[in-house]
Amino acid sequence: MITVQPISEDSIILYFGNEISLQITQTIMRLVEQLTLNSPSHIFSEKIKQNILEVTPSYTSLFIQYRSSQLSGDELSHALQVWTHSSDLTGQQFESKTTHQLPVYYHPEVGPDLHYLTLRHKLSQEEVVQRHQQTDYHVYAIGFAPGFAFLGNVDPHIATPRHDSPRLHIPAGSVGIANQQTAVYPSDSPGGWQIIGNCPLSLFSLEANPMTPFNIGDKVKFNAITRNEFLQLGGIICTHWK
């Protein structure tokens, strides 16, 4: 059940459920699409779309900020309630056409938890790598750090909880697993995810436009590369882990 909750005089949040799922992500992005000015909608008037200042999707919610001097919260809430009961919700869902191909060097010298996953799940290193890269992941949310894309869902045979105590330093490009999610750390930071490899591509830059390649709803595919390929692409071997 979708609920609309006012937050302030110029913002509201829509809640789409309690569990992370592709269906919810597609529904949220369908609404984002309908609220943009260049997307036709028989429910949202030009007045509504022209006065939407910001939409911020998350796992199971959507934050909307609007121009309260031109649009009332009641008017926006009513239109959103109508949308939740319309064919726009039950009909064709949004699906991004963008798939990001990310090279990953899977090895203990850049993935210090790779060996732990083999022991925990009674799999060989090759099986862990194969299960991780055989999935087409979806971007469910972006947060924690700029450009940090939360991807799901991880193969249940390699899904692994976070560390009880986070590491003090995770190098940029580190590929991690946390329960049913996986992600690439876009920059150096602390973190508690299980690190199994490293992607040598830059996934966040203040100078780039856009600053990160990911959008919610995009697909991500990991592809294993060799050590030489990793180094040729600019990858750096981490010599110590804290």
Side-chain angles (χ1 to χ4, degrees):
M1 179 179 180
I2 300 175
T3 59
V4 181
Q5 179 178 326
I7 299 300
S8 67
E9 64 179 10
D10 65 352
S11 60
I12 61 175
I13 289 184
L14 275 74
Y15 294 99
F16 292 78
N18 298 316
E19 296 182 1
I20 300 171
S21 73
L22 177 58
Q23 181 180 3
I24 286 180
T25 297
Q26 290 177 332
T27 299
I28 291 173
M29 296 314 297
R30 177 65 171 160
L31 177 54
V32 170
E33 183 185 53
Q34 288 290 303
L35 287 171
T36 59
L37 292 176
N38 60 354
S39 177
S41 173
H42 65 277
I43 292 177
F44 298 115
S45 65
E46 288 303 308
K47 175 185 176 182
I48 289 178
K49 292 192 289 184
Q50 289 172 358
N51 288 291
I52 298 296
L53 299 176
E54 182 180 1
V55 290
T56 306
S58 186
Y59 284 114
T60 59
S61 64
L62 179 67
F63 172 85
I64 302 175
Q65 185 178 19
Y66 57 93
R67 189 176 288 108
S68 58
S69 62
Q70 303 296 323
L71 179 65
S72 73
D74 288 343
E75 184 177 0
L76 177 57
S77 294
H78 175 72
L80 290 167
Q81 292 287 3
V82 171
W83 182 85
T84 64
H85 294 92
S86 73
S87 59
D88 281 20
L89 177 61
T90 58
Q92 182 179 4
Q93 295 295 325
F94 171 91
E95 186 168 355
S96 173
K97 296 180 175 61
T98 301
T99 298
H100 305 276
Q101 301 283 344
L102 301 184
V104 178
Y105 174 44
Y106 296 95
H107 193 277
E109 64 182 345
V110 292
D113 299 312
L114 186 56
H115 182 61
Y116 170 70
L117 263 68
T118 67
L119 297 177
R120 178 184 176 93
H121 300 291
K122 297 181 174 59
L123 298 170
S124 68
Q125 179 174 308
E126 291 72 22
E127 288 173 319
V128 171
V129 171
Q130 181 59 32
R131 288 185 179 276
H132 186 259
Q133 69 169 355
Q134 72 182 2
T135 300
D136 290 332
Y137 298 98
H138 291 83
V139 179
Y140 282 139
I142 298 175
F144 167 64
F148 191 102
F150 293 86
L151 312 175
N153 288 341
V154 170
D155 185 314
H157 293 90
I158 59 171
T160 310
R162 293 173 174 86
H163 289 284
D164 292 334
S165 299
R167 288 188 172 94
L168 300 178
H169 177 258
I170 302 292
S174 293
V175 178
I177 290 176
N179 296 308
Q180 288 76 42
Q181 300 174 94
T182 188
V184 182
Y185 282 75
S187 56
D188 295 355
S189 71
W193 291 41
Q194 305 284 346
I195 306 302
I196 62 172
N198 192 284
C199 172
L201 304 184
S202 174
L203 298 178
F204 175 76
S205 172
L206 292 173
E207 288 73 37
N209 185 23
M211 290 184 286
T212 178
F214 302 119
N215 289 299
I216 293 178
D218 287 357
K219 294 180 181 179
V220 173
K221 180 73 174 177
F222 293 110
N223 301 299
I225 59 175
T226 65
R227 190 180 197 273
N228 284 340
E229 290 172 323
F230 174 71
L231 296 175
Q232 289 171 3
L233 289 170
I236 299 174
I237 304 298
C238 184
T239 57
H240 65 280
W241 291 84
K242 298 180 181 179

